[in-house]
Amino acid sequence: MAGRSPNPVSQTLSGEDNSRRAVERRLPGRARPAHDVLREYNEFNAKRRQRIPSILWIFVAPDPDGCYRWRVQLDCDCVTEVLTGGDDPPPSDHHWLDPVHQQRLPTGQLSCKHDDSPPAPYRQITERSDRREVSFPADPIEPPDWTDADTWAVVRRDKPHSKAFWTVALACGHVTEVPTDLTWKPTDGPRRVGPERQRKMTTEFEAFWATQPDGQSKQEQEHTRRMLADGWPMPRPEQLCYRCPDARLIVAYQRVGWLVPRKTLSTPPKQPSRAALQRRLERTQAEADRLRQQLAQLDTDKHANAAG
C-alpha cells in the first residue's frame, strides 16, 4: 500500500504504550456483513469446541452473543476486524494471538503480513522461562541444498542427538524459542572462546568479508561483529525475531456492535423531580382556587337574580 509505514514496531520495540495512542474514530470502508461474520465464528467455534472440554467453553470458546465487533486500523494503514469478549476495553488494550507462532503479542499489536516487510531483526534476550527437550535423528549423508559436501562433512551429525529449547522473551516484547545443549542452564551464562581463538576468528571473518563482500548481509555482518567482540558467546545473547516484521500497532478503532444484536429494552418514563412536582402542585392548586371562585360567583349571581 502506498505511503505505508515500513514497520514502526521494529523501531519502537514494544507496543505496551499503544493503549494511550490508539484513538476511537470512524474508519474508511465498511464493516463486513454481519451474517458472514457470525457464520464464520460459529464454524470456527464448533471446530474449537471439539478439542476443548465443555466446562472451558465459556472461557476459551464462548457463545457468539457475548462477542463484540470492532474495526481496527493498523500503523501500516490496513483496516481489519476483530472480536472481543464484550464492548470494553477497546482492542488496543488486548494481547492478541500471533496466528503463525501461537504466541501472545504485546498489548495492541496484530500480525499483518506484507511482501515488502523488512527482514527479521536481531533482538536481545531479556528472559528465559520454559524448557523442553527435542530429539533429532542422525543427519542424512547427502548434503542439503544450502551447503556443499565439504562443509556438510564437517557440520553433519552422524548420530541421533537431542537439544534443549528454551522459551525466551526478547527486548521487543515478542516470544520465541532458542536451542541449547541439554546440560546448559541460564545460571551458567554463555560460554566464550579464549582471546587467541577470538583473534583468529576475527581475522578469518575479516578475510571472508574482504574476498566475499556479499557473503553476508549487512545485518548479519553487524551481528557477527558483535558476537566476535563479545568473545563468540554460546548460547547467543540475541536472537532473530521473526514476529517483528509482521507485528503492527493498532492506531485507531471503530465500534461495529454486538456479533448477535441485542434486543432493545423499552425505557421506563423518567420520574419527575421533587421541584417539578411541587411546581405542578402549585399550578394545580391555583387552578382549583380559580375554579372555586368562579363557582362562588355563579352562586352569587344566581341568588341575586332570584331576589330580583
Side-chain angles (χ1 to χ4, degrees):
M1 183 178 296
R4 186 176 66 240
S5 173
N7 191 1
V9 172
S10 294
Q11 298 167 10
T12 59
L13 293 185
S14 176
E16 292 300 331
D17 64 343
N18 187 48
S19 60
R20 296 192 294 271
R21 294 196 293 155
V23 296
E24 182 174 2
R25 66 167 181 249
R26 183 176 180 82
L27 301 181
R30 295 182 178 181
R32 298 181 58 210
H35 61 273
D36 287 347
V37 180
L38 179 58
R39 174 181 51 79
E40 291 175 3
Y41 180 83
N42 284 333
E43 292 174 354
F44 167 75
N45 217 25
K47 295 178 181 178
R48 181 168 57 178
R49 287 183 171 185
Q50 291 177 0
R51 60 180 187 273
I52 297 174
S54 58
I55 195 173
L56 299 178
W57 287 359
I58 190 174
F59 303 107
V60 293
D63 292 333
D65 55 3
C67 297
Y68 195 83
R69 296 179 62 194
W70 307 80
R71 301 179 71 231
V72 296
Q73 186 172 35
L74 308 179
D75 58 15
C76 56
D77 290 338
C78 291
V79 176
T80 187
E81 291 192 22
V82 295
L83 295 173
T84 59
D87 60 351
D88 188 69
S92 55
D93 285 2
H94 284 261
H95 286 271
W96 296 97
L97 187 68
D98 177 359
V100 176
H101 303 93
Q102 297 299 304
Q103 294 284 352
R104 293 289 174 183
L105 296 170
T107 304
Q109 289 185 15
L110 281 175
S111 182
C112 186
K113 188 174 181 60
H114 295 280
D115 293 337
D116 59 349
S117 294
Y122 279 98
R123 301 298 194 202
Q124 285 288 326
I125 294 174
T126 59
E127 182 182 357
R128 298 177 188 267
S129 54
D130 297 337
R131 176 188 181 277
R132 65 188 180 99
E133 294 184 8
V134 179
S135 297
F136 299 93
D139 293 332
I141 297 177
E142 293 297 322
D145 295 337
W146 50 266
T147 189
D148 56 65
D150 292 338
T151 303
W152 186 241
V154 175
V155 301
R156 174 179 174 267
R157 292 178 179 267
D158 57 0
K159 295 180 180 180
H161 60 283
S162 298
K163 283 283 187 180
F165 281 78
W166 291 83
T167 299
V168 298
L170 305 178
C172 54
H174 298 141
V175 177
T176 188
E177 281 190 322
V178 295
T180 68
D181 293 336
L182 291 178
T183 58
W184 183 86
K185 303 183 299 296
T187 54
D188 297 338
R191 294 185 295 271
R192 292 176 169 83
V193 300
E196 183 177 350
R197 177 58 179 159
Q198 181 182 13
R199 286 192 295 270
K200 184 177 180 181
M201 292 177 66
T202 301
T203 301
E204 291 173 348
F205 270 106
E206 292 292 350
F208 169 73
W209 292 324
T211 57
Q212 301 186 46
D214 297 329
Q216 279 188 321
S217 66
K218 180 181 178 181
Q219 176 178 263
E220 287 298 327
Q221 283 193 31
E222 292 173 349
H223 166 70
T224 302
R225 291 184 187 279
R226 289 193 299 272
M227 296 303 99
L228 288 170
D230 195 22
W232 205 250
M234 294 295 289
R236 297 280 187 255
E238 59 184 43
Q239 181 73 17
L240 284 170
C241 180
Y242 292 100
R243 292 167 181 79
C244 272
D246 301 327
R248 308 287 176 168
L249 290 175
I250 296 174
V251 296
Y253 55 88
Q254 177 185 353
R255 296 176 183 271
V256 178
W258 295 99
L259 180 56
V260 178
R262 300 192 169 185
K263 295 180 179 179
T264 303
L265 300 177
S266 58
T267 304
K270 183 179 179 180
Q271 293 294 328
S273 65
R274 179 179 179 81
L277 289 174
Q278 184 67 36
R279 290 192 297 269
R280 183 178 175 184
L281 177 61
E282 291 173 355
R283 289 195 299 269
T284 302
Q285 289 176 340
E287 178 65 14
D289 291 342
R290 187 181 66 81
L291 292 174
R292 291 191 188 97
Q293 291 175 2
Q294 289 181 353
L295 287 173
Q297 184 62 43
L298 288 174
D299 290 341
T300 301
D301 293 345
K302 181 179 179 180
H303 291 310
N305 292 334

